[in-house]
Amino acid sequence: MGRQPSAEAVIETRGLSKTYRGGRPAVDGLDLSVPRGSVFGFLGPNGSGKTTTIRMLLGLIDATGGSARLLGEPMPRAAGRVLPRVGALIEGPALYGFLSGRGNLRRYDAADPTADPRTRDARVEAALERVGLSAAAGKKAKAYSLGMKQRLGIAAALLQPRELLVLDEPTNGLDPQGMREIRSLVRALAQDGTTVFLSSHLLDEIEQVCSHTAVMNRGRLVTQGTVAEMSAGARGRLSVTTPDGADAMRVLKGHGLSDLATAESPEGQTVTGELPGPGEPPGGPPPDLADLNAALVRAGVRVRAFGVTRASLEDVFVSLTGEGFDVAG
């Protein structure tokens, strides 16, 4: 019996795949679950299949295999019912440079057959206010910065109430100020109850704004879960500074540390090693840091400094994929 769709998942895929003619799969057997109310970071290097996945989710391209559900409904079959409840910004907004920000939103709203023209002005002004563009609403869009254009694109996606907002690389090409503006907006939208699905190749972005994440690499899903779980599950590195480096390495190795290394330091040597992860070593819990320090002292190791550096989210993703990611663009 197949797994039943989750009532709490706003996006759910089962074996979702896309293969272009003559090529390897762009997306290969994707099982994804995006919880309602989350800010979900869809992370991976450029070319890992993120945009192809988003296009399948929104019914813009057909899947080769598998299935996708948005807001509990099958896509693309239910697109007519689902898409009015979903806002999306993919590969940047299409704006009329000669129109003002307000004029662009009025044009977008007029193109929506479900939009009541009698309340258009109120919708447009509310959307401008929500993205912080009220003061610049009269300026022509061609005079907007990239960050302002992205915010205007998000405003267009929010002219109607949306349960889900899909953003594909929303800070791509922005300067640091523009990136901060978009991240602040995403946080505010999430606080209002909108589920945000955010694709990115920037680790910094995921750590700062997302509650959940999934990692893609070469078309395949590597892992998914909460950002906190992924950080907590990361191994840390122990660092011991001592004039007795060889003895320290022997003790640490005997207590399950791996990838041991030494470097010269003013106090003698700094010995580092990777702490065992959850469930390691087999048959017992990982060593307590106080016990490790005591074991070094008992072995006659003169400990000058002792501490742990927790693995960053970057370390986790590199270990999962074997590839580097951009940290902050």
Side-chain angles (χ1 to χ4, degrees), residues 247 250-251 255 290-303:
D247 290 335
R250 176 177 50 79
V251 172
H255 283 76
D291 291 342
L292 272 177
N293 196 16
L296 288 164
V297 173
R298 281 196 306 271
V301 175
R302 291 165 289 177
V303 178

Side-chain angles (χ1 to χ4, degrees), residues 105-156:
L105 292 191
R106 289 183 60 82
R107 181 72 64 94
Y108 272 110
D109 195 75
D112 182 351
T114 68
D116 184 347
R118 293 171 298 180
T119 52
R120 178 164 298 142
D121 288 344
R123 272 193 304 281
V124 166
E125 296 309 315
L128 288 165
E129 175 71 25
R130 197 170 194 190
V131 301
L133 284 177
S134 294
K139 288 177 61 175
K140 288 187 177 180
K142 65 183 178 184
Y144 278 15
S145 68
L146 275 176
M148 293 168 72
K149 288 176 180 176
Q150 286 292 81
R151 283 190 283 150
L152 188 62
I154 294 172

Side-chain angles (χ1 to χ4, degrees), residues 42 79 90 94 140 183 187 202 235 259 292:
F42 196 40
I90 303 175
K140 288 187 177 180
R183 289 169 182 170
R187 291 189 200 101
L202 303 178
R235 300 179 178 192
D259 193 24
L292 272 177

Side-chain angles (χ1 to χ4, degrees), residues 28-34 40-45 50 197 203 206 212-231 233-234 313-322 325:
D28 190 2
L30 178 62
D31 292 340
L32 193 65
S33 184
V34 176
F40 196 99
F42 196 40
L43 178 65
K50 303 188 303 295
F197 183 79
L203 284 163
I206 301 303
H212 295 70
T213 186
V215 182
M216 290 286 285
N217 194 42
R218 299 183 184 181
R220 297 187 67 87
L221 182 70
V222 179
T223 189
Q224 64 182 316
T226 69
V227 171
E229 285 169 349
M230 295 185 72
S231 296
L313 205 54
E314 180 182 9
D315 296 326
V316 179
F317 292 153
V318 170
S319 70
L320 287 169
T321 65
F325 286 80

Side-chain angles (χ1 to χ4, degrees), residues 6 12 26 40-41 50 52-54 60 62 78 93 113 119 156 158 160 164 172 180 182 184 202 294 296 298 304 309:
S6 169
E12 195 157 25
F40 196 99
K50 303 188 303 295
T52 298
T53 298
I54 288 173
L60 299 174
D62 292 329
T119 52
L158 297 173
Q160 297 284 1
L164 171 65
N172 218 10
R180 282 193 293 272
I182 297 299
S184 176
L202 303 178
L296 288 164
R298 281 196 306 271
R304 301 284 189 259
T309 303

